Amino acid sequence: MAIPGDAEILLGSGLISATEYPSIVAPTGNMPAITGSYFDQARRPSLGHVMVAVIDQLWALAIIRWVGLAAAVAKLERRIQRTHGHERHDDIGRLVGSYRLIDLLLSAENRCLVRSFALARSLTRYSVVFNLVIGVRTGPFGAHCWIQKGERSVSDHRDKAREYVPVLIL
């Protein structure tokens, strides 16, 4: 009788599942070092930006929970590819301000994946070019998801993402 490998044990326990999408998680090139953050300089949100943030957070929660992370990544990647990059920095600040306002009602703690996917979707609405990054760290193990635009963090204070090594960059 063969001894099951790690993958078989994880599949059997339900911790991972087979998917029709190919794996896109692999070692990546380094992102530019984060030297600043839009999060620290968010502008006052408009009602329209808050509504976009609420709708996109509900979308992200639903798509990740019901369809799965691989499908959510594929959908977001297609949307990002259609982004043209005619952004206005005021829209970025107002979106970040909207997400910070929502964070007062819903804790941002342990919600980085849903929050980052939602913010990514929101940014594509305003043609903002960015990277969604998933990173990991060891000792203690942890994972984090954030949005980065060049050398600036969009979704966190600048020091938060520095703790993690990117394994997926969209």
Side-chain angles (χ1 to χ4, degrees):
M1 181 168 155
I3 299 174
D6 292 339
E8 289 83 12
I9 293 170
L10 291 171
L11 281 166
S13 68
L15 290 173
I16 62 171
S17 61
T19 178
E20 62 187 83
Y21 298 97
S23 176
I24 56 173
V25 176
T28 64
N30 291 330
M31 288 292 297
I34 295 175
T35 59
S37 175
Y38 287 95
F39 193 79
D40 295 330
Q41 303 163 352
R43 292 183 176 80
R44 182 181 209 127
S46 69
L47 181 58
H49 287 93
V50 171
M51 293 304 297
V52 164
V54 168
I55 289 166
D56 287 341
Q57 287 210 38
L58 291 173
W59 170 86
L61 179 65
I63 197 86
I64 292 169
R65 184 168 288 169
W66 293 327
V67 181
L69 183 59
V73 166
K75 286 180 182 293
L76 185 59
E77 192 168 35
R78 284 192 300 271
R79 190 173 176 104
I80 289 169
Q81 289 171 353
R82 294 190 308 257
T83 302
H84 300 295
H86 304 293
E87 72 240 23
R88 295 189 328 246
H89 291 285
D90 192 48
D91 283 328
I92 299 170
R94 289 184 185 277
L95 276 172
V96 171
S98 299
Y99 277 81
R100 289 188 69 186
L101 178 66
I102 293 169
D103 287 347
L104 296 174
L105 303 172
L106 304 171
S107 171
E109 192 67 31
N110 297 322
R111 292 185 55 247
C112 65
L113 186 66
V114 168
R115 189 172 181 276
S116 293
F117 269 72
L119 181 55
R121 183 176 165 97
S122 297
L123 290 168
T124 63
R125 291 177 185 271
Y126 296 96
S127 299
V128 176
V129 176
F130 62 89
N131 291 104
L132 180 135
V133 184
I134 297 177
V136 296
R137 71 171 182 219
T138 58
F141 176 79
H144 184 55
C145 186
W146 69 92
I147 303 292
Q148 187 169 333
K149 180 168 177 46
E151 295 178 347
R152 296 180 75 185
S153 173
V154 180
S155 57
D156 293 311
H157 296 287
R158 69 183 177 135
D159 293 334
K160 176 75 174 177
R162 287 185 187 176
E163 300 174 17
Y164 300 88
V165 174
V167 294
L168 174 74
I169 300 171
L170 294 181

